[in-house]
Amino acid sequence: MRAFELHHWLLLSFVTVIFGGVIWMAVLAVDSFRATYGGVAGAVTVEDCVYADTDDGPQWTCSGPFVSADGAVRIDAVKLMPRYGAPWDDGVTVTGRISSPSSGTLHTDGQTWKWATGFTVLLLGVGVYLLRSALRIERQVAPPPVDPELAAISERARAFLTEWDHVLAPSTPAAAAPPPVSAVDAPKRANLAVGKVLIGWLLLVLTIAGTVWHLMEWERRQVASLTGQALGTVTGARLGAEDRIEVAYPDTTGAEWRVRWKPVDPDSYREGGQVPVRYDPAQPYEVMPAYPEFFEIEPRGRTVLVELVLLPGYVLAWAWMWRLGRWLLGACRRGRPAEAWVLVAELHWGVEPTSFWLELRDADRIWYQRIVWDRRLVRRLAGDPAGGAQLPLSVELRRCPGLRRMYLVDVAGVGRLWPASTARARPPRNYELTPVELHLFGLAESTGRHLAILLALTVLAGGGWLLAGPATAAYLLALIGSYQLWGGGAPWRGFYTLRH
């Protein structure tokens, strides 16, 4: 479990949601199959229809009392499956089958179990594949036993070849590599990577707060427009499967309007009872109960959508705050000397570098850790512009407190490198780590790519603006930047890191 990172936990959360969908679809498939082949035939008299705004457009779930064809089975409230694009009128009779006398669903389509089974198999396959990817453990290959006599012979052979290499070496001596600089004695200079990280985190928090404030202000304006007051009359109680009530109320012109709500306590509202309401005189259909705490009022679709959009921001802001706290506590600890190699990570299925890592060697142990970079640090660590790398680097490691290992890395003459991941004993499986070669970077990007990125960000910001104003547009852009910072880019990854 120590090798797990944030994306692993997010993947496991997604897998949990998928398996929840598998269970739901499997139950639906079994119930539909039982109803089609051996259920109870009958009809439902529509009593109530509930609106739902789905990805496929507006849909309605209707319900009402069920009576079997022979009159032997009666159920007070049964929902109709599937949903409908328009509501049924009250009193309409819909025929179908239920799976058992205690079922709560009337199946009007005998093919539901087929597509439900297909979705179950598909979701199960995706869930198993993702679960294996998240929990995959590399096999430990035990080294074969070595015969001491063969090892001694091999060592003498290598020593003999080394001596001949010296004999056949050219007369001009090669320039010796400079010894590594001590991490304690060499001067350190501050870098700006941590400043960029803090600014990115603050921008994310501020834009989240701005979006929440804008949403609250919008809801306040919606409630403030309900200036009209009336005394409604309950014209129907315990309607449908959700025990909703129907309330009729007059507006300022005397016209009667009707609305249906789900009370917290259905027994408190009988037919003929009265319910005080508030409505908008300009739009009388915009109505709320005067005491909404006694009803289960569904949030507006816009509110639900904004909250879903804010969810990844909440998770990322909390994770960043936790990481920053570990950094702060780790900076107070005493460092110990070690060596580090600079590595660049490339996805196995990609064509560009995506992040930068350090290979840390401490007390005969090797750790791999992603680092928050900026262009100045990469050039400094990679050496001269021709691509020669100064390896190894003499560093000091300061371990951040926590169950999973994480190091602050102080590099001689450079400054502090801030971790963008926990340290792991093995290289990441989905990346290929190679030494940094400066001459491979700094290539010019095509204009089409810049325009595509700009267009995508513009569409994203425009959609956020239309959804909940400029605060949401700024939040979505800050979320993209913060996610880049979380992965180690400051401010960009890939070829942008070494842009001249």
Side-chain angles (χ1 to χ4, degrees), residues 480-500:
I480 298 299
S482 298
Y483 182 76
Q484 295 289 330
L485 289 174
W486 171 267
W492 297 292
R493 297 183 183 181
F495 290 114
Y496 290 91
T497 309
L498 294 168
R499 176 75 57 199
H500 289 288

Side-chain angles (χ1 to χ4, degrees), residues 122-147:
L122 176 63
L123 291 177
L124 183 61
V126 173
V128 171
Y129 174 78
L130 294 178
L131 185 63
R132 289 186 58 189
S133 300
L135 301 181
R136 184 180 301 163
I137 301 176
E138 297 180 358
R139 296 182 178 179
Q140 297 289 340
V141 180
V146 179
D147 188 354

